[in-house]
Amino acid sequence: MNTMINEGLVAEHNAKLQANLDADYAALAGVLQRRGQDIEQLTALAQTFAVAVPTWGAGTGGTRFARFPGVGEPRNIFEKLEDCAVINQLTQATPAVSPHFPWDKVSDTAALREIAQGYGLAFDAVNSNTFQDQLGQAHTYKHGSLTSQSAAVRAQAVEHNIECIELGRALGSKALTVWVGDGANFPGQHNLRGALERYLDSMRDIYGALPADWNIFIEHKLFEPAFYATTIADWGTSFACATTLGPKAKCLVDLGHHAPNTNIEMIVARLAQFGKLGGFHFNDSKYGDDDLDSGSINPFQLFLVFNELADAAEREGSTFNPAYMLDQSHNVTDPIESLMSSAVEVQRAFIQSALVDRAGLRQLQESNDVHASAQALKQAFRTDVSAILAMARLRSGAAIDPVACYRTTGYREARGVARPPKAGASSSGIV
Amino acid sequence: MNTMINEGLVAEHNAKLQANLDADYAALAGVLQRRGQDIEQLTALAQTFAVAVPTWGAGTGGTRFARFPGVGEPRNIFEKLEDCAVINQLTQATPAVSPHFPWDKVSDTAALREIAQGYGLAFDAVNSNTFQDQLGQAHTYKHGSLTSQSAAVRAQAVEHNIECIELGRALGSKALTVWVGDGANFPGQHNLRGALERYLDSMRDIYGALPADWNIFIEHKLFEPAFYATTIADWGTSFACATTLGPKAKCLVDLGHHAPNTNIEMIVARLAQFGKLGGFHFNDSKYGDDDLDSGSINPFQLFLVFNELADAAEREGSTFNPAYMLDQSHNVTDPIESLMSSAVEVQRAFIQSALVDRAGLRQLQESNDVHASAQALKQAFRTDVSAILAMARLRSGAAIDPVACYRTTGYREARGVARPPKAGASSSGIV
Amino acid sequence: MNTMINEGLVAEHNAKLQANLDADYAALAGVLQRRGQDIEQLTALAQTFAVAVPTWGAGTGGTRFARFPGVGEPRNIFEKLEDCAVINQLTQATPAVSPHFPWDKVSDTAALREIAQGYGLAFDAVNSNTFQDQLGQAHTYKHGSLTSQSAAVRAQAVEHNIECIELGRALGSKALTVWVGDGANFPGQHNLRGALERYLDSMRDIYGALPADWNIFIEHKLFEPAFYATTIADWGTSFACATTLGPKAKCLVDLGHHAPNTNIEMIVARLAQFGKLGGFHFNDSKYGDDDLDSGSINPFQLFLVFNELADAAEREGSTFNPAYMLDQSHNVTDPIESLMSSAVEVQRAFIQSALVDRAGLRQLQESNDVHASAQALKQAFRTDVSAILAMARLRSGAAIDPVACYRTTGYREARGVARPPKAGASSSGIV
Amino acid sequence: MNTMINEGLVAEHNAKLQANLDADYAALAGVLQRRGQDIEQLTALAQTFAVAVPTWGAGTGGTRFARFPGVGEPRNIFEKLEDCAVINQLTQATPAVSPHFPWDKVSDTAALREIAQGYGLAFDAVNSNTFQDQLGQAHTYKHGSLTSQSAAVRAQAVEHNIECIELGRALGSKALTVWVGDGANFPGQHNLRGALERYLDSMRDIYGALPADWNIFIEHKLFEPAFYATTIADWGTSFACATTLGPKAKCLVDLGHHAPNTNIEMIVARLAQFGKLGGFHFNDSKYGDDDLDSGSINPFQLFLVFNELADAAEREGSTFNPAYMLDQSHNVTDPIESLMSSAVEVQRAFIQSALVDRAGLRQLQESNDVHASAQALKQAFRTDVSAILAMARLRSGAAIDPVACYRTTGYREARGVARPPKAGASSSGIV
């Protein structure tokens, strides 16, 4: 296995923190034991957790107003893999990366896969891109891609998605995530129903190209880049389309793609109930699709999502296996730091949800003991499981404190030297 | 036909206004003719328009903080029918009323139907009530009705709905609208999926009792009275349930029951496309389920809803026939005035949507002429069709200006004498 | 001191739980010590915390659709005081009650004060009511109170507020909270500026009647009962009015009275900066003014509010002393249970905010270490301070687990016998 | 006067449409006369209307996901002025342009002014830019500009604003609009109060550099580019800052910069009442700061804003003179077409608001005739004043139908030849 960070540095870091961790872990073990819970089971469970990292997340994001580049940003998929390798090395919670085409397209896909494997990284769901025009592209997506009025544009978009499937097969992926920004900025711009009919036609062609063991994930988004009517705007549309397309089609829930005040955990419950929960793009937000770090704004909501996942897992058993990915935009932090701590936040919600005594909760609910039912969740959420997560990392060979360890390595500073920004690279936005 | 308002008064009112109306109508006819449109076709179309009035809308509404009673409010279904008769007499746009049980339950249902017929009124969709406890009721709905943990509560709620169907059959209705406020105020209060499973079980029993030519309408609502998780909260859930239940089950869209920023006209398009658009509860709102007068806050949105309905009607033909009802809460106006002018506002949107040259719009859309496509809708909406609506009323025997005519009749003042408020009737709210 | 709960029962409850508490407390002490923090200081701080309980909170709330009464609800201010006494006895965090007039008006105000003192309860801010009509009232508030077009109505509303001040003086209060529901349901219903001018005129009269050491709190609310335009709708209007009125006028922040997505903690920071932060009504919400239990929906937001309060306290010193009150509607829980656990949740946020190393945070912020700054708050919030809160209660003579203790006492069941519901009491709503 | 469009083409266009316009105008004159209103007064009023166009609006906008360039986009301020000249020539409603620095900075400012004057264009408020880094800039704004922790960064941002004032003086401007995107993406990232204190310090320096007859406009925005806490997020903060700074500081209302459900017309009324309404950035939106064409989503809201402006104008007289500017992002339309029709939409709302009989409305409001008050506004809004606007244009030398006329000229196609896109210009977004 290739490691980007000297293993000795990690060991040194852990050695310094282990005594305190042991003490914190013992303290928490006692608290849990007094509640009848076994910390070791939870730590073992934490070690099983995995969430994919998107390759594009390794770069610095921005808004339409501006992008402020970071130091040593990766300039291609190979450098992105280096950063993803760091993230997984220090957290042991992100063993797969999710590629995006054409951004990550290379001349030798097999070699790319080998390099990733060298870092211990697999490839998760493949992402297509028909929301931008690429240099040399025959037709523009200005007026839509899979929903375009033009058969030629739709064919180009379908063909690109099918190419993504082929690239994904070569990389070992098992799913294609389709997000389209198609929609309208004005009432009347297009026929709302006609656009969805064309979408379904295009998707049927893509669906037909899926290998037998693949899934296609439909990702909805309320708005942006379309500002009046987005064709796949809500879970209802996503669900109706996935149902229309067939069993390989499932719905993907991005936490930031909903109307204000939406109860997202209930959408999770609904999709699980109706057999269409495909996976997640984790992030957090306060206003729109803010793409902030997971759990940074409303950590209780993240916990409640995992509470529904725990409920579904208990009901469905091992066949219940939605895909997890971080999907964040890191505008003012080091992406590696944000992705590491975000992976930990998602893992935290996973472990907190495992603290819920589901049979006991069911009894409280059945007796309409509203107060006690609510407190059962609150107590699980209140429990500080940091020591469990840190111990799981230690035992898996990662860092007790990934960000602190990372900062000792000088990785970012070294990347600043190794990866000078492209000449003329603009940081200006699009207003 | 029994009329509540002296026909001579209506004629007198119309006589005073007709000259001006004729002039306004001729002016508009010219404007439309210069655009290639025939005003007479539009006036004839306006005369076909109908929207039902809910019996409870004839009373003054309120909030949890207070209710400020009006003068001469109807105290029972018979007095409500009197007011509904006035509304239809003066607008000729509201020939049906939608009853609510047990509020409108009487000892002799057949007699009730005859009285309504005497006023020229039919009965539209029947509404059940399992969001309140009635005096003498065996089980409380405090912890849910169709979704209750208790089989006995669910059975009571199912039985009530089946009774509503029977009452509706006796009244000539063809549909049952089911709105439940069931849900949770706390995360953990109930199992989100379990609640929907019980809902579906209960609904299957009700569905089984539907006559062959009936529909059941599922009405969703984002929140209130449940404030954390409403079981039937969005169109996605409504659609999944209607699909699960069968072809007689359809979705009902209340304009005020959506998350902020939701594109409601797109939900209309989706439900029409997937064959599940059952009907509407019309009203308007700025913040939540405000139940304000239709078209009073965002009239362009109402137009855009009818633009989708015109599109669906063109696609589906005569089989496309969703139910229309006003569902408003009149806290500070005379309910008769608000219902009359609201019926006219909905009719206005219907006629404005008929102004759209749909074939021409399609061409503009197909050529991606975004600006012209948008302006096609804006021009239709901008057109002041008041003279068409007034002429349609005049030709149908109603009043040119329903509210002005009503105010000349002294109807409300007379009702103030005839319907003294119940002794001890409280206006206090529920905080 | 009169106690509603037998002190022996409390002692017995505590005796059973103390060993576990001691162990949990020691475990947490160790964790904090390893971070350089002293648990004893935090526990002592927790013992100083106080939040007022509104008298009306002791009853079961409802919505416009229905109210489902609870068992043994208090029927008058004396019974409400009994319940408030229980809450404070078991939490020692709610030593004051906030009365509401005319609901809590009695013939002998001095006697009422003595009874409260007998329970160890003081009176916090007085609340006036001009959003409902009272039996026998000369003028209706249907069209506004302090903003009414009618001078007579305004005078009546002003007079009521001045009477509230007088009643408050007799009870030992030092502040009047003025919330008016005044506003419009329709564009055009009233002149937006004229309404605020009349409000300011009325408030000047009330302000003039304030004793020298009193404050008047202006409470804003985005909507409900007015659904188009609420006269005091946002903090901007509240602030402009408080500035216009003078130094005794301050702004009151109810957590549920804001537009979707509003950053409430920033409003707290702004009001503190400009010297106008009067106090809080604590509750939680997901959709509107849901009045749910504090911290039940978004506990991190509650923490962030207290993080701003800690910042302001550090800047302003002992003169910074905003009023704290719970303001919740308990529709499906026992109000005593909800108020006890809500007081604890607010206290929890207070102690968590005290965990923040403010000088260290400032350094991180000054060096633009965004990730570490954010984590500083997250770590404080993640810390489970339950053992500190329980130990503070134990040391102050309250219950280690207030709700569990309360449930052992049979208090509610006894109240069900002692307080039979009023005959004919309706649970029906206002639709 | 230099004209970009051959005046003969405009005359030819008008000649073709004038007969129909005369007929439509006569029809509307009759309708208005029957209501007691004089069309000629309204047409004369329409001719006085003016709204500024932002120079950057002439280019095609985009989102963080992508920008799809248009044909013949202006590449510098001189080409932008050409397009602005077209807009004003064909509408005679946009006689001023609002420049943005450093985007529009040229070596010879005086020459720039002369060129604009040659087109009959003046310069409106100057806009500064501290939300992006410019090539060669000493300090980055990544962590804030006027609010930065670094004195050097703040000084650079202040200096830039002062330079904007100087450039504006040279161009004949009388106001500086300051919008900063400063804020935080994470709770804890910065001290909320500290940031505003630094903002006020910086603004005091800029304020001190204002000429005697200048204003400074503070523009608030709820979110984006900052996604957790924007320093100038709402009108309350804007108002408090403008009050702190002094009489030359006023608040600017951009219609798209508010929380969901906000009643914007009430903010207009409040700022007018408290003497701080500086001006507007007009646009429309459905979800966030969508920057869609004015009046395209909620035209009734635009009317209600102008209804407040008419109220303020009546109260304040000629001293009431807020600045009007369009601020839109044209992602899928020809910017010239969108700006022309948007200017007309704003003018439409202005004229519709002039239809309101304000004295009559006041009487209805004073008698609490809610229904009639509401209808008074609805009737004004419903009136199709298109013929008035077209006649005003004809009489002022502009085009009866600006977009139709523009399309006959081949202007855009010619620009496509004259302004080839910069080599290597990227259309890719920032994700």
Side-chain angles (χ1 to χ4, degrees), chain A residues 49 51-57 87 93-94 96 98 254 280-283 291-294 302 323-330 335 338-347:
Chain A
F49 177 81
V51 60
V53 166
T55 57
W56 63 96
I87 295 165
T94 61
S98 194
D254 183 297
F280 289 87
H281 281 182
F282 291 114
N283 52 59
D291 272 339
L292 299 178
D293 285 16
S294 297
L302 187 61
Y324 295 161
M325 189 183 94
L326 298 173
D327 187 9
Q328 307 176 164
S329 192
H330 312 105
S338 273
L339 286 165
M340 289 195 300
S341 60
S342 296
V344 171
E345 286 310 293
V346 179
Q347 189 181 24

Short mmCIF file of all heavy atoms in Angstrom, two decimals, chain A residues 49 51-57 87 93-94 96 98 254 280-283 291-294 302 323-330 335 338-347:
data_model
loop_
_atom_site.label_atom_id
_atom_site.label_comp_id
_atom_site.label_asym_id
_atom_site.label_seq_id
_atom_site.Cartn_x
_atom_site.Cartn_y
_atom_site.Cartn_z
N PHE A 49 -17.55 1.68 9.26
CA PHE A 49 -18.18 2.80 8.54
C PHE A 49 -17.33 3.28 7.37
O PHE A 49 -16.11 3.39 7.47
CB PHE A 49 -18.42 3.97 9.50
CG PHE A 49 -19.00 5.17 8.82
CD1 PHE A 49 -20.36 5.24 8.55
CD2 PHE A 49 -18.19 6.21 8.39
CE1 PHE A 49 -20.91 6.33 7.90
CE2 PHE A 49 -18.72 7.32 7.74
CZ PHE A 49 -20.08 7.37 7.49
N VAL A 51 -17.61 6.22 3.94
CA VAL A 51 -18.30 7.21 3.12
C VAL A 51 -17.34 7.62 2.00
O VAL A 51 -16.14 7.82 2.24
CB VAL A 51 -18.75 8.42 3.96
CG1 VAL A 51 -17.59 9.13 4.63
CG2 VAL A 51 -19.57 9.42 3.14
N ALA A 52 -17.86 7.71 0.79
CA ALA A 52 -16.99 8.05 -0.35
C ALA A 52 -16.69 9.54 -0.38
O ALA A 52 -17.44 10.37 0.14
CB ALA A 52 -17.65 7.62 -1.66
N VAL A 53 -15.57 9.85 -1.01
CA VAL A 53 -15.14 11.24 -1.19
C VAL A 53 -15.20 11.55 -2.69
O VAL A 53 -14.75 10.75 -3.50
CB VAL A 53 -13.71 11.43 -0.65
CG1 VAL A 53 -13.12 12.74 -1.14
CG2 VAL A 53 -13.70 11.36 0.87
N PRO A 54 -15.77 12.70 -3.06
CA PRO A 54 -15.80 13.05 -4.48
C PRO A 54 -14.45 13.62 -4.90
O PRO A 54 -13.87 14.43 -4.17
CB PRO A 54 -16.89 14.12 -4.56
CG PRO A 54 -16.84 14.79 -3.23
CD PRO A 54 -16.41 13.74 -2.23
N THR A 55 -13.99 13.23 -6.05
CA THR A 55 -12.66 13.70 -6.46
C THR A 55 -12.60 15.21 -6.52
O THR A 55 -11.58 15.82 -6.15
CB THR A 55 -12.30 13.14 -7.84
OG1 THR A 55 -13.32 13.53 -8.77
CG2 THR A 55 -12.18 11.63 -7.81
N TRP A 56 -13.70 15.84 -6.97
CA TRP A 56 -13.69 17.31 -7.13
C TRP A 56 -13.67 18.03 -5.78
O TRP A 56 -13.33 19.21 -5.71
CB TRP A 56 -14.85 17.78 -7.99
CG TRP A 56 -16.21 17.50 -7.41
CD1 TRP A 56 -16.98 18.36 -6.68
CD2 TRP A 56 -16.97 16.29 -7.51
NE1 TRP A 56 -18.16 17.76 -6.33
CE2 TRP A 56 -18.19 16.50 -6.82
CE3 TRP A 56 -16.76 15.04 -8.13
CZ2 TRP A 56 -19.18 15.51 -6.73
CZ3 TRP A 56 -17.74 14.07 -8.03
CH2 TRP A 56 -18.92 14.30 -7.34
N GLY A 57 -14.03 17.31 -4.72
CA GLY A 57 -14.01 17.92 -3.40
C GLY A 57 -12.63 18.28 -2.91
O GLY A 57 -12.48 19.07 -1.96
N ILE A 87 -6.71 11.56 3.08
CA ILE A 87 -7.95 11.58 3.86
C ILE A 87 -8.26 10.19 4.40
O ILE A 87 -8.59 10.02 5.58
CB ILE A 87 -9.11 12.11 2.97
CG1 ILE A 87 -8.84 13.58 2.60
CG2 ILE A 87 -10.44 11.97 3.67
CD1 ILE A 87 -9.70 14.10 1.46
N ALA A 93 -11.96 6.04 7.02
CA ALA A 93 -13.42 6.09 6.88
C ALA A 93 -13.84 6.42 5.45
O ALA A 93 -15.04 6.46 5.17
CB ALA A 93 -14.01 7.14 7.83
N THR A 94 -12.87 6.59 4.55
CA THR A 94 -13.20 7.02 3.19
C THR A 94 -12.45 6.18 2.16
O THR A 94 -11.63 6.70 1.38
CB THR A 94 -12.84 8.51 2.99
OG1 THR A 94 -11.41 8.65 3.19
CG2 THR A 94 -13.54 9.41 3.97
N ALA A 96 -13.28 4.92 -0.63
CA ALA A 96 -13.64 5.00 -2.05
C ALA A 96 -13.75 6.45 -2.49
O ALA A 96 -14.04 7.33 -1.69
CB ALA A 96 -14.97 4.28 -2.32
N SER A 98 -15.33 9.04 -5.67
CA SER A 98 -16.39 9.11 -6.66
C SER A 98 -15.91 10.03 -7.78
O SER A 98 -15.73 11.22 -7.57
CB SER A 98 -17.64 9.66 -5.98
OG SER A 98 -18.78 9.46 -6.77
N ASP A 254 -29.49 14.44 -1.65
CA ASP A 254 -28.45 15.39 -1.27
C ASP A 254 -29.08 16.29 -0.19
O ASP A 254 -30.14 16.88 -0.41
CB ASP A 254 -28.00 16.21 -2.48
CG ASP A 254 -26.87 17.17 -2.15
OD1 ASP A 254 -27.08 18.09 -1.33
OD2 ASP A 254 -25.78 17.02 -2.71
N PHE A 280 -26.84 8.87 -0.70
CA PHE A 280 -26.78 10.22 -0.14
C PHE A 280 -25.59 11.00 -0.67
O PHE A 280 -24.52 10.43 -0.91
CB PHE A 280 -26.62 10.16 1.39
CG PHE A 280 -27.85 9.70 2.09
CD1 PHE A 280 -28.09 8.35 2.28
CD2 PHE A 280 -28.78 10.62 2.54
CE1 PHE A 280 -29.24 7.92 2.92
CE2 PHE A 280 -29.93 10.19 3.17
CZ PHE A 280 -30.17 8.83 3.36
N HIS A 281 -25.81 12.29 -0.78
CA HIS A 281 -24.72 13.24 -0.84
C HIS A 281 -24.79 14.04 0.45
O HIS A 281 -25.74 14.81 0.67
CB HIS A 281 -24.86 14.16 -2.06
CG HIS A 281 -24.42 13.54 -3.34
ND1 HIS A 281 -24.44 14.21 -4.54
CD2 HIS A 281 -23.93 12.30 -3.60
CE1 HIS A 281 -23.98 13.41 -5.50
NE2 HIS A 281 -23.68 12.25 -4.96
N PHE A 282 -23.81 13.87 1.30
CA PHE A 282 -23.83 14.54 2.60
C PHE A 282 -23.17 15.91 2.52
O PHE A 282 -22.12 16.08 1.88
CB PHE A 282 -23.10 13.69 3.66
CG PHE A 282 -23.83 12.44 4.02
CD1 PHE A 282 -23.30 11.19 3.71
CD2 PHE A 282 -25.06 12.49 4.66
CE1 PHE A 282 -23.97 10.03 4.03
CE2 PHE A 282 -25.74 11.33 4.99
CZ PHE A 282 -25.20 10.09 4.67
N ASN A 283 -23.79 16.84 3.19
CA ASN A 283 -23.26 18.18 3.37
C ASN A 283 -24.20 18.88 4.34
O ASN A 283 -25.09 18.23 4.91
CB ASN A 283 -23.18 18.94 2.03
CG ASN A 283 -24.50 18.91 1.29
OD1 ASN A 283 -25.51 19.37 1.81
ND2 ASN A 283 -24.51 18.33 0.09
N ASP A 291 -23.71 23.65 0.45
CA ASP A 291 -22.58 22.71 0.35
C ASP A 291 -21.55 22.92 1.45
O ASP A 291 -20.33 22.80 1.21
CB ASP A 291 -21.91 22.82 -1.03
CG ASP A 291 -22.59 21.90 -2.05
OD1 ASP A 291 -23.25 20.94 -1.64
OD2 ASP A 291 -22.45 22.13 -3.26
N LEU A 292 -22.04 23.23 2.64
CA LEU A 292 -21.13 23.39 3.77
C LEU A 292 -20.75 22.03 4.34
O LEU A 292 -21.32 21.00 3.99
CB LEU A 292 -21.79 24.25 4.85
CG LEU A 292 -22.15 25.67 4.39
CD1 LEU A 292 -22.85 26.43 5.52
CD2 LEU A 292 -20.91 26.43 3.93
N ASP A 293 -19.79 22.03 5.25
CA ASP A 293 -19.31 20.78 5.84
C ASP A 293 -20.44 20.04 6.57
O ASP A 293 -21.23 20.64 7.30
CB ASP A 293 -18.18 21.08 6.83
CG ASP A 293 -16.88 21.43 6.12
OD1 ASP A 293 -16.91 21.72 4.91
OD2 ASP A 293 -15.83 21.40 6.78
N SER A 294 -20.48 18.73 6.39
CA SER A 294 -21.51 17.90 7.00
C SER A 294 -21.56 18.13 8.51
O SER A 294 -20.54 18.08 9.19
CB SER A 294 -21.21 16.43 6.72
OG SER A 294 -21.27 16.19 5.32
N LEU A 302 -28.61 15.67 10.93
CA LEU A 302 -27.80 14.57 10.41
C LEU A 302 -28.03 13.31 11.24
O LEU A 302 -28.16 12.20 10.70
CB LEU A 302 -26.32 14.97 10.43
CG LEU A 302 -25.34 14.01 9.78
CD1 LEU A 302 -25.64 13.82 8.30
CD2 LEU A 302 -23.90 14.51 9.96
N ALA A 323 -25.79 4.12 -0.85
CA ALA A 323 -24.45 4.67 -1.09
C ALA A 323 -24.28 5.97 -0.32
O ALA A 323 -25.17 6.81 -0.31
CB ALA A 323 -24.27 4.92 -2.59
N TYR A 324 -23.12 6.13 0.31
CA TYR A 324 -22.83 7.36 1.06
C TYR A 324 -21.67 8.10 0.40
O TYR A 324 -20.62 7.52 0.15
CB TYR A 324 -22.39 7.03 2.50
CG TYR A 324 -23.43 6.39 3.37
CD1 TYR A 324 -23.04 5.71 4.53
CD2 TYR A 324 -24.79 6.46 3.08
CE1 TYR A 324 -23.98 5.12 5.36
CE2 TYR A 324 -25.74 5.86 3.91
CZ TYR A 324 -25.32 5.19 5.04
OH TYR A 324 -26.24 4.60 5.87
N MET A 325 -21.88 9.39 0.17
CA MET A 325 -20.80 10.22 -0.36
C MET A 325 -20.86 11.58 0.30
O MET A 325 -21.94 12.10 0.58
CB MET A 325 -20.93 10.36 -1.88
CG MET A 325 -19.73 11.03 -2.54
SD MET A 325 -19.97 11.27 -4.34
CE MET A 325 -20.63 12.94 -4.34
N LEU A 326 -19.71 12.17 0.54
CA LEU A 326 -19.65 13.58 0.91
C LEU A 326 -19.75 14.40 -0.36
O LEU A 326 -19.16 14.04 -1.38
CB LEU A 326 -18.32 13.90 1.61
CG LEU A 326 -18.05 13.17 2.92
CD1 LEU A 326 -16.63 13.46 3.40
CD2 LEU A 326 -19.05 13.58 4.00
N ASP A 327 -20.52 15.48 -0.32
CA ASP A 327 -20.57 16.38 -1.48
C ASP A 327 -20.60 17.81 -0.96
O ASP A 327 -21.66 18.36 -0.67
CB ASP A 327 -21.80 16.09 -2.33
CG ASP A 327 -21.77 16.90 -3.64
OD1 ASP A 327 -20.74 17.52 -3.92
OD2 ASP A 327 -22.78 16.90 -4.35
N GLN A 328 -19.44 18.38 -0.83
CA GLN A 328 -19.29 19.67 -0.18
C GLN A 328 -18.45 20.61 -1.04
O GLN A 328 -17.68 20.16 -1.88
CB GLN A 328 -18.61 19.49 1.19
CG GLN A 328 -19.30 18.46 2.05
CD GLN A 328 -18.62 18.17 3.37
OE1 GLN A 328 -19.23 17.61 4.27
NE2 GLN A 328 -17.37 18.56 3.51
N SER A 329 -18.57 21.87 -0.78
CA SER A 329 -17.79 22.89 -1.46
C SER A 329 -16.97 23.60 -0.38
O SER A 329 -17.53 24.18 0.54
CB SER A 329 -18.73 23.86 -2.16
OG SER A 329 -18.05 24.70 -3.04
N HIS A 330 -15.66 23.51 -0.48
CA HIS A 330 -14.80 24.05 0.57
C HIS A 330 -14.21 25.36 0.09
O HIS A 330 -13.21 25.37 -0.63
CB HIS A 330 -13.71 23.03 0.91
CG HIS A 330 -14.26 21.65 1.14
ND1 HIS A 330 -14.12 20.64 0.23
CD2 HIS A 330 -15.01 21.15 2.14
CE1 HIS A 330 -14.74 19.56 0.67
NE2 HIS A 330 -15.30 19.83 1.82
N PRO A 335 -9.50 21.77 1.90
CA PRO A 335 -10.43 20.68 1.59
C PRO A 335 -10.10 19.37 2.30
O PRO A 335 -11.01 18.63 2.69
CB PRO A 335 -10.31 20.54 0.07
CG PRO A 335 -9.89 21.89 -0.40
CD PRO A 335 -8.99 22.42 0.67
N SER A 338 -11.45 19.67 5.82
CA SER A 338 -12.91 19.62 5.85
C SER A 338 -13.44 18.23 5.53
O SER A 338 -14.40 17.77 6.15
CB SER A 338 -13.50 20.64 4.85
OG SER A 338 -13.63 21.91 5.46
N LEU A 339 -12.84 17.56 4.58
CA LEU A 339 -13.33 16.23 4.21
C LEU A 339 -13.05 15.23 5.32
O LEU A 339 -13.88 14.35 5.60
CB LEU A 339 -12.71 15.79 2.88
CG LEU A 339 -13.30 16.52 1.66
CD1 LEU A 339 -12.42 16.32 0.43
CD2 LEU A 339 -14.72 16.03 1.37
N MET A 340 -11.90 15.35 5.97
CA MET A 340 -11.63 14.44 7.08
C MET A 340 -12.62 14.66 8.21
O MET A 340 -13.21 13.71 8.74
CB MET A 340 -10.19 14.63 7.57
CG MET A 340 -9.15 14.10 6.58
SD MET A 340 -7.49 13.91 7.27
CE MET A 340 -7.13 15.57 7.79
N SER A 341 -12.80 15.89 8.62
CA SER A 341 -13.68 16.11 9.77
C SER A 341 -15.14 15.86 9.39
O SER A 341 -15.93 15.43 10.23
CB SER A 341 -13.47 17.49 10.38
OG SER A 341 -13.75 18.48 9.47
N SER A 342 -15.48 16.05 8.13
CA SER A 342 -16.86 15.76 7.71
C SER A 342 -17.13 14.26 7.71
O SER A 342 -18.22 13.82 8.09
CB SER A 342 -17.12 16.35 6.33
OG SER A 342 -17.02 17.76 6.38
N ALA A 343 -16.16 13.49 7.25
CA ALA A 343 -16.32 12.04 7.31
C ALA A 343 -16.55 11.61 8.75
O ALA A 343 -17.39 10.75 9.04
CB ALA A 343 -15.09 11.35 6.73
N VAL A 344 -15.81 12.22 9.65
CA VAL A 344 -15.97 11.89 11.08
C VAL A 344 -17.35 12.31 11.58
O VAL A 344 -17.98 11.60 12.37
CB VAL A 344 -14.85 12.56 11.90
CG1 VAL A 344 -15.11 12.42 13.39
CG2 VAL A 344 -13.49 11.95 11.53
N GLU A 345 -17.85 13.46 11.12
CA GLU A 345 -19.18 13.90 11.57
C GLU A 345 -20.27 12.94 11.11
O GLU A 345 -21.22 12.66 11.84
CB GLU A 345 -19.48 15.32 11.07
CG GLU A 345 -18.72 16.40 11.79
CD GLU A 345 -18.81 16.28 13.30
OE1 GLU A 345 -19.91 16.47 13.84
OE2 GLU A 345 -17.78 15.97 13.93
N VAL A 346 -20.16 12.45 9.89
CA VAL A 346 -21.16 11.50 9.40
C VAL A 346 -21.05 10.19 10.19
O VAL A 346 -22.05 9.60 10.59
CB VAL A 346 -20.99 11.28 7.88
CG1 VAL A 346 -22.01 10.27 7.37
CG2 VAL A 346 -21.13 12.60 7.14
N GLN A 347 -19.81 9.77 10.43
CA GLN A 347 -19.58 8.57 11.24
C GLN A 347 -20.14 8.76 12.65
O GLN A 347 -20.71 7.83 13.24
CB GLN A 347 -18.08 8.32 11.29
CG GLN A 347 -17.64 7.00 11.88
CD GLN A 347 -16.11 6.90 11.91
OE1 GLN A 347 -15.42 7.93 11.91
NE2 GLN A 347 -15.60 5.68 11.90
#
